């Protein structure tokens, strides 16, 4: 038990965090949870802390933190912190080996950098971190000699496939996409789809934001940008294909035309376990593929008329600079507005496009600049939603 990997889990109460806990629970002989963080769900976080005997805890939201203290939700031994400083403190714990980032949005950016500077390996499930600041994250990781372990099923699949392929033998990497909730809906009907319909993902059980991003394929655009940074691929070397079964998670095409694929059921525990145990392997907590039963695999190219967010993300990948971060920020604001019934589903991409047009692209020179333009993009997108005649 003394050689267990020690894990800090940020985003412990979300869907990815829940799957990570399932893996850690199953492999207590190999993994130890030493720190946890969540945004507001104090009761759930307290339950996790008790189950796994965790004394290092952060509640990001100040009100949730205060209420947790007033109600004595955590044991007297618990070191309970809050805010960005609390996340950065957790990321730098001396007792930690790997920091698992599963928070939604940009909250995980500065804690990720803090973890790297403290010499911790980083398991990243949050696409936004590399989309916003891939240059700075990858430079810091190389400088500190730490590993960036991809948790997203697609990037984890590429990570596995590329272990046996020299970089100069790779022609391109291909991310698979389910196509989301409206992959078979006639394009002309997308203007009238509801939030409830958007949240009915055909394959995966995910949170609202990611499920809607899957329906627009904004998520796949973000993943293309992330893959470019993770695996040092030029924009033209990163592609996407619709694969409705979500069994093949990514493919690597070699220069000789051979294609290597990674397969597993559409269950995040497979990618999470690989990233946490790497380079070791062990029996998974979830059922594996059963090749005694018929398995059908279908692939088709994405229709960019159906998925304008994917087209915009590809353009941002080619342009580089702050464009990917602008795309991400505007998309977050637009998706939130759709969830609040303030805009239609098809207007998400229009808000993103207009925001990109409004802010001139440039190369950021610091993390502070990255965060500055992220804030500006959110402000622009919000104004466009408040004044729809300007955007829509």
């Amino acid at each position: 038990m003394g050689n267990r990997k020690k894990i800090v889990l940020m985003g412990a109460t979300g869907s990815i965090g829940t799957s990570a806990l399932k893996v850690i629970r199953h492999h207590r002989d190999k993994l130890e949870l030493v720190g946890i963080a969540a945004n507001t769900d104090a009761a759930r976080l307290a339950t996790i802390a008790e189950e796994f005997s965790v004394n290092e805890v952060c509640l990001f939201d100040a009100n949730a933190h205060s209420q947790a203290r007033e109600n004595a939700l955590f044991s007297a031994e618990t070191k309970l912190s809050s805010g960005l400083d609390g996340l950065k403190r957790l990321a730098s714990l001396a007792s930690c080996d790997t920091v698992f980032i599963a928070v939604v949005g940009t909250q995980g950016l500065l804690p990720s950098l803090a973890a790297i500077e403290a010499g911790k390996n980083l398991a990243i499930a949050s696409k936004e971190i590399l989309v916003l600041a891939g240059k700075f994250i990858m430079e810091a990781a190389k400088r500190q000699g730490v590993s960036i372990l991809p948790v997203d099923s697609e990037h984890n699949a590429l990570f596995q496939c590329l272990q046996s392929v020299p970089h100069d033998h790779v022609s391109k990497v291909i991310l698979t996409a389910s196509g989301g909730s409206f992959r078979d809906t006639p394009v002309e009907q997308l203007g009238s789809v509801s939030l409830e319909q958007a949240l009915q993902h055909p394959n995966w059980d995910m949170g609202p934001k990611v499920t809607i991003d899957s329906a627009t394929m904004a998520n796949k655009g973000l993943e293309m940008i992330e893959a470019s940074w993770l695996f040092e691929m030029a924009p033209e070397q990163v592609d996407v294909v619709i694969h409705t079964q979500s069994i093949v998670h990514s493919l690597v095409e070699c220069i000789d035309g051979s294609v290597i694929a990674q397969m597993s059921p559409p269950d995040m525990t497979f990618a999470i376990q690989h990233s946490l145990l790497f380079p070791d392997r062990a029996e998974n907590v979830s059922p594996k593929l059963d090749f005694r039963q018929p398995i059908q695999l279908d692939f088709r190219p994405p229709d960019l008329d159906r998925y304008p967010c994917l087209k915009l993300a590809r353009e941002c990948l080619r342009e580089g600079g702050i464009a990917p971060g602008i795309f991400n920020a505007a998309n977050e604001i637009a998706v939130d507005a759709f969830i609040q019934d303030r805009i239609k589903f098809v207007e998400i991409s229009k808000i993103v496009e207009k925001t990109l047009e409004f802010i001139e692209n440039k190369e950021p020179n610091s993390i502070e600049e990255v965060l500055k333009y992220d804030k500006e993009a959110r402000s622009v997108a919000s104004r466009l939603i408040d004044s729809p005649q300007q955007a829509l």
Side-chain angles (χ1 to χ4, degrees):
M1 298 288 280
N3 294 324
R4 293 186 296 174
K5 282 189 181 180
K6 294 175 173 56
I7 311 297
V8 164
L9 176 58
M10 298 191 181
T13 59
S15 59
I16 297 295
T18 299
S19 293
L21 291 172
K22 191 175 180 181
V23 170
I24 295 169
R25 188 179 293 115
H26 189 70
H27 293 293
R28 289 180 184 266
D29 60 326
K30 298 177 175 66
L31 301 169
E32 179 183 1
L33 194 61
V34 297
I36 51 176
N39 187 23
T40 59
D41 195 345
R44 172 67 180 137
L45 203 63
T47 300
I48 295 168
E50 182 178 6
E51 178 187 353
F52 291 90
S53 301
V54 179
N55 291 327
E56 298 283 355
V57 178
C58 176
L59 267 167
F60 185 82
D61 183 80
N63 289 332
H65 175 266
S66 297
Q67 290 176 12
R69 282 197 177 281
E70 290 174 8
N71 297 327
L73 289 181
F74 295 88
S75 69
E77 295 78 25
T78 302
K79 297 177 183 177
L80 182 61
S81 58
S82 69
L84 191 57
D85 287 341
L87 293 181
K88 289 162 71 174
R89 188 184 69 81
L90 275 189
S92 307
L93 284 180
S95 60
C96 166
D97 301 313
T98 299
V99 178
F100 189 114
I101 305 287
V103 295
V104 176
T106 59
Q107 264 183 25
L109 176 54
L110 293 179
S112 295
L113 283 169
I116 292 171
E117 294 300 335
K120 314 299 181 184
N121 291 327
L122 206 60
I124 295 185
S126 303
K127 304 173 181 65
E128 297 85 355
I129 293 170
L130 289 175
V131 170
L132 260 74
K135 175 173 75 171
F136 302 103
I137 292 288
M138 299 310 290
E139 284 177 357
K142 186 175 182 180
R143 183 176 65 252
Q144 294 298 110
V146 302
S147 298
I148 304 293
L149 304 166
V151 175
D152 255 357
S153 60
E154 296 83 1
H155 301 98
N156 182 265
L158 289 176
F159 183 82
Q160 294 189 53
C161 291
L162 289 167
Q163 293 299 305
S164 60
V165 184
H167 192 271
D168 61 353
H169 288 186
V170 178
S171 174
K172 63 180 176 180
V173 297
I174 305 168
L175 305 168
T176 60
S178 67
S181 310
F182 303 125
R183 65 191 182 196
D184 299 316
T185 303
V187 174
E188 60 272 16
Q189 294 181 17
L190 294 179
S192 59
V193 297
S194 67
L195 173 62
E196 183 180 6
Q197 290 173 304
L199 294 177
Q200 299 302 310
H201 196 283
N203 300 353
W204 294 92
D205 181 15
M206 305 180 292
K209 164 66 164 58
V210 181
T211 304
I212 294 167
D213 280 351
S214 176
T216 65
M217 277 185 71
N219 70 323
K220 209 55 52 177
L222 295 172
E223 288 169 14
M224 291 179 71
I225 298 165
E226 185 180 3
S228 178
W229 284 114
L230 278 170
F231 307 112
E232 298 181 338
M233 296 291 161
E236 61 273 13
Q237 288 182 288
V238 185
D239 209 349
V240 170
V241 66
I242 301 287
H243 168 54
T244 56
Q245 292 84 9
S246 297
I247 291 174
V248 174
H249 298 292
S250 278
L251 310 99
V252 172
E253 181 183 281
C254 301
I255 55 176
D256 62 0
S258 298
V259 177
I260 301 171
Q262 188 272 342
M263 302 168 63
S264 61
D267 185 319
M268 280 303 300
T269 59
F270 287 89
I272 290 169
Q273 177 169 306
H274 181 269
S275 66
L276 289 179
L277 294 182
F278 181 81
D280 295 331
R281 291 184 184 265
E283 180 183 353
N284 197 275
V285 64
S286 303
K288 59 186 178 181
L289 289 173
D290 184 359
F291 286 96
R292 295 170 300 179
Q293 302 298 323
I295 297 177
Q296 181 172 330
L297 303 176
D298 297 305
F299 302 92
R300 66 175 187 255
D303 176 4
L304 296 184
D305 289 332
R306 180 183 297 277
Y307 302 112
C309 279
L310 180 61
K311 180 181 178 181
L312 291 170
R314 280 177 163 170
E315 293 170 357
C316 291
L317 173 58
R318 286 194 294 268
E319 292 177 13
I322 61 171
I326 302 303
F327 174 93
N328 174 72
N331 180 66
E332 283 190 21
I333 295 297
V335 169
D336 187 60
F338 173 63
I339 290 173
Q340 295 178 33
D341 198 27
R342 298 178 61 204
I343 64 172
K344 295 179 180 179
F345 175 79
V346 294
E347 292 169 346
I348 294 173
S349 62
K350 295 176 182 178
I351 293 293
V352 174
E353 183 175 17
K354 287 293 183 180
T355 305
L356 284 164
E357 291 173 356
F358 192 89
I359 301 174
E360 184 179 357
N361 193 22
K362 62 170 290 185
E363 189 65 34
N365 295 312
S366 66
I367 286 292
E368 289 74 22
E369 279 196 13
V370 167
L371 295 173
K372 169 190 167 185
Y373 286 108
D374 173 79
K375 185 177 179 180
E376 181 179 345
R378 292 171 191 276
S379 177
V380 170
S382 297
R383 291 201 305 270
L384 290 169
I385 291 166
D386 291 337
S387 305
Q389 67 276 7
Q390 296 182 37
L392 313 177

